[in-house]
Amino acid sequence: MEEFDKGIVPLPEAFYEQPTLELAKALLGCILVKETNEGIAAGFIVETEAYMGPSDRAAHSYNNRRTPRTEVMFQRSGLAYTYLMHTHCLFNVVSGSEEKPEAVLIRALEPIYGIGLMIKRRGIEDQSKLTNGPGKLTKSLGISMEDYGRPLTIPPLYVAQGFCPESISAGKRIGIENSGDAKDYPWRFWVTNNKFVSRHQSAIHVFYNSTDI
DNA sequence: CCCCGGATAATCT
DNA sequence: GATTATCCGGGGT
């Protein structure tokens, strides 16, 4: 399509086969790309949340709840799980093996490419606010319910290798106050000190590249 | 702090 | 069929 495509290779299916909490950290620093006929938009993933399936009260698949909406969570890992919340589309990466309905919510990006297109789609200029939230990043990239179930290993929606964070912070997940004890689990991950995260929060744990990641 | 949009699904009557 | 809640964001008080 354009020069940005060349040299950017989608990560293989095997990347998505690691355990969900590992995948949620491994996705940090990766590049998320969406191609549409309006153009290409891409950003570094800088914030994620793990949703651990039937035992996780905050997950849509809690108690193996299987509906048309959650169906893709029960499929193989590496597919897109998009859903609508109020007026916004949220984007998750399906993880876990078949019949293990786990997922990683992508909560924030650092814009890399197609910033003009993001500005047009969002109707704002401030680059630090284009993709610093799960609903904002889908609007900036043009991710919609048409992407539901798409494999993330091929265009038009894919994940490619980016940078390896020096440090990853972990804290409580956002927006799940009514999920009992699950609200306190440290399953939100972000690139330490990155200014494009959706909100600032004190870390419960910090992982360093040289030792833990 | 509050309000509200408006898709999906569970829980009621 | 009606009501309620939700992995959110923008705008007002």
Side-chain angles (χ1 to χ4, degrees):
Chain A
M1 218 168 189
E2 296 159 35
E3 73 279 3
F4 180 78
D5 266 292
K6 299 176 180 173
I8 297 220
V9 181
L11 287 163
E13 266 190 51
F15 173 74
Y16 299 96
E17 290 167 4
Q18 54 191 312
T20 296
L21 290 173
E22 298 306 310
L23 181 62
K25 288 185 280 184
L27 282 165
L28 295 175
C30 290
I31 301 171
L32 178 63
V33 184
K34 177 69 197 280
E35 301 179 358
T36 72
N37 43 25
E38 289 184 296
I40 300 174
F44 292 116
I45 296 169
V46 298
E47 179 182 344
T48 60
E49 282 178 1
Y51 285 86
M52 298 299 285
S55 62
D56 180 1
R57 246 185 96 169
H60 291 160
S61 53
Y62 178 59
N63 275 343
N64 274 309
R65 179 191 294 161
R66 193 165 187 160
T67 68
R69 180 174 70 158
T70 62
E71 175 58 32
V72 76
M73 291 184 76
F74 290 80
Q75 307 304 316
R76 71 171 194 271
S77 58
L79 305 179
Y81 170 39
T82 51
Y83 72 92
L84 295 173
M85 183 199 176
H86 296 278
T87 55
H88 309 286
C89 181
L90 273 60
F91 167 66
N92 298 251
V93 175
V94 174
S95 61
S97 47
E98 279 196 52
E99 305 302 321
K100 286 191 61 184
E102 302 173 6
V104 177
L105 172 66
I106 307 302
R107 286 195 55 90
L109 305 178
E110 177 176 336
I112 305 172
Y113 188 84
I115 292 170
L117 183 53
M118 296 186 198
I119 289 170
K120 176 186 160 197
R121 283 169 169 158
R122 291 267 292 119
I124 62 165
E125 298 267 339
D126 186 346
Q127 279 197 37
S128 69
K129 294 184 168 60
L130 286 174
T131 54
N132 64 333
K136 297 177 188 179
L137 73 90
T138 58
K139 190 168 180 182
S140 283
L141 266 60
I143 294 171
S144 71
M145 290 309 294
E146 293 191 359
D147 294 305
Y148 183 92
R150 273 188 170 143
L152 297 171
T153 48
I154 52 169
L157 178 61
Y158 60 96
V159 175
Q161 185 167 25
F163 69 92
C164 183
E166 285 182 21
S167 167
I168 291 173
S169 298
K172 297 179 184 181
R173 295 174 291 179
I174 305 295
I176 55 162
E177 291 306 304
N178 293 337
S179 299
D181 292 340
K183 74 176 170 49
D184 295 323
Y185 299 164
W187 291 344
R188 173 181 180 235
F189 303 99
W190 65 95
V191 176
T192 303
N193 293 329
N194 186 281
K195 69 174 183 176
F196 295 91
V197 297
S198 65
R199 71 175 72 179
H200 295 288
Q201 179 192 54
S202 56
I204 296 172
H205 299 299
V206 181
F207 300 90
Y208 293 98
N209 186 23
S210 54
T211 53
D212 304 307
I213 297 174

